[in-house]
Amino acid sequence: MATPLEVIDLRKRYGGREVVAGVSFALQKGECFGLLGPNGAGKTTTLRCCLGLTVPDSGSITMVGEPVPQRAREARLRVGIVPQFDNLDPDFSAAENLLVFGRYFGLDDATIRTRIPRLLEFAGLTSKAAVKIPQLSGGMKRRLTLARALVNDPDLLVLDEPTTGLDPQARRLIWDRLQGLLAEGKTILLTTHFMEEAERLCQRLAIMDEGRIIAEGLPQTLIAQHISVSPSSLRPANLEDVFLKLTGHELRD
Amino acid sequence: MTANFAPPILSWRAIAVWRRNLLVWRKRSIPTILGNLADPMIYMFGLGYGLGGLLPAALPAFGGGSYIAFLATGTVCASTMNTASFEALYAAFSRMHDQKTWEGIINAPMALDDVVFGELLWAAAKASLSGIAILIVIWALGLTSSPLALWAIPVIFLTGLAFAAPGLIFTALAPSYDFFMYYFTLFITPMTFLSGVFFPLDRLPEGMQMLSQVLPLTHAVALIRPLLFGQVPELPLLHVGVLIVITVFCHWIAVALTRRRLLS
């Protein structure tokens, strides 16, 4: 099977600022790859370019074997997307959202209807099937967005800050579901600025700052490479120490 | 960016967007139809009987029939125009801007071109429904009886397209709903008076008559009114051609501006 995603020397400029300044990385099948970085580091722009939602200035992208943006639509047939901000359809119930979204993939109604009960169960929303989106809590919406991204049974899942704004319970539930998907053999690309999330889920990660990848590797290797002595005598060094060391302590937004 | 202005790629995938809007519409179809019908009916009966009552029963200026028959045939066109415009402006803007529905759709294997094309077809379909609803009222009142009137149905759909497409341009440019006020006061309302809906075009000063020839509504009226009176329109291909050119050109610009707005 084709590499889930390969990005070579991606660049994107807005006005005078190069938001993505030569980013390269590749995903291996079945892994969870994390893109970490402070706000404004270029994570979301990188993802949007990968998905064919923003046209890059230069660089090459191949997603599930298809060149992007030229064949982005064909590539997205086999990709599930969880955007940073929910864009569930507020005119519909939870179940209708899955039906209508499945139609966008060209799936016939009978196929989608057999998948809906399983997807709702996955999201823990079986009892909310007929509830309209504005009546769902933030955590429920996030889970439904994740279920929606699975309606086409994708090979690759792309998640942009999947747990931002959620309480710890809701966050743990999402992590649990994502670990389940990895166990099924799905490949995941996610952006986050929760170090705990990255440590729990990601086999490999890249830290981005100012449009560039400034460190890449296994979480434990990154810690060993960059932190020789824990900044606190009360705990071992962790990924957050690496993150702050590499990206500084100043506010970024 | 010039890539945004590449021609729209038309695909049947757009039907999924059309079906999405149909599913929403079906939930509140009865009040919507009544709402679309009430406003043009008030004008048609109010002016048709009120003003028409002051006029002789048959006037050559009104095609030899009553004023209400003249007005009713124009109302079919004006109502189609209004419904297409409201759908392509307010309703489409709400889906694009407030609900982020379009952004959700392009997370699936749908291009933005499919979304705009689907919205165009939807607005024209919904406009057709309100045009045809008035057609049925006219027929029930006995104001039209010719089988030629059936030809008005595809022309109504084409009229819907020709108004949905420029509406989508404004939606792609609009910073907020307030912006649409300009579209209606500067474009739609004057056009209603300059296209022969309420009175024949030859009542207009000469300069205004020239202006009216470039307005899409004039061409819709020039096709639909004779058909409803049981006559073959003069220069039918010219009028159809103008409506098609407006649709194709404005749809292209609308797609380009929407790409610039959402894909940069």
Side-chain angles (χ1 to χ4, degrees), chain A residues 184-215:
Chain A
E184 281 176 32
K186 306 263 187 231
T187 309
I188 293 180
L189 168 62
L190 70 83
T191 74
T192 185
H193 41 225
F194 291 116
M195 298 306 129
E196 194 189 346
E197 184 162 292
E199 270 181 281
R200 269 170 186 258
L201 293 172
C202 300
Q203 277 88 54
R204 286 193 307 138
L205 40 90
I207 298 178
M208 270 187 90
D209 197 20
E210 290 171 354
R212 287 186 179 79
I213 292 181
I214 52 172

Side-chain angles (χ1 to χ4, degrees), chain B residues 40-118:
Chain B
M41 287 295 144
I42 291 167
Y43 274 91
M44 199 172 101
F45 287 118
L47 288 175
Y49 286 121
L51 201 59
L54 300 171
L55 302 166
L59 274 175
F62 298 135
S66 62
Y67 180 60
I68 191 164
F70 177 89
L71 181 63
T73 51
T75 304
V76 171
C77 306
S79 180
T80 305
M81 167 183 80
N82 282 327
T83 305
S85 302
F86 267 100
E87 193 64 26
L89 295 168
Y90 291 93
F93 186 78
S94 136
R95 290 191 279 271
M96 174 186 75
H97 187 259
D98 300 328
Q99 302 190 176
K100 309 286 178 203
T101 303
W102 294 9
E103 284 175 32
I105 295 172
I106 58 172
N107 285 338
M110 299 280 286
L112 200 54
D113 298 32
D114 301 328
V115 177
V116 176
F117 188 40

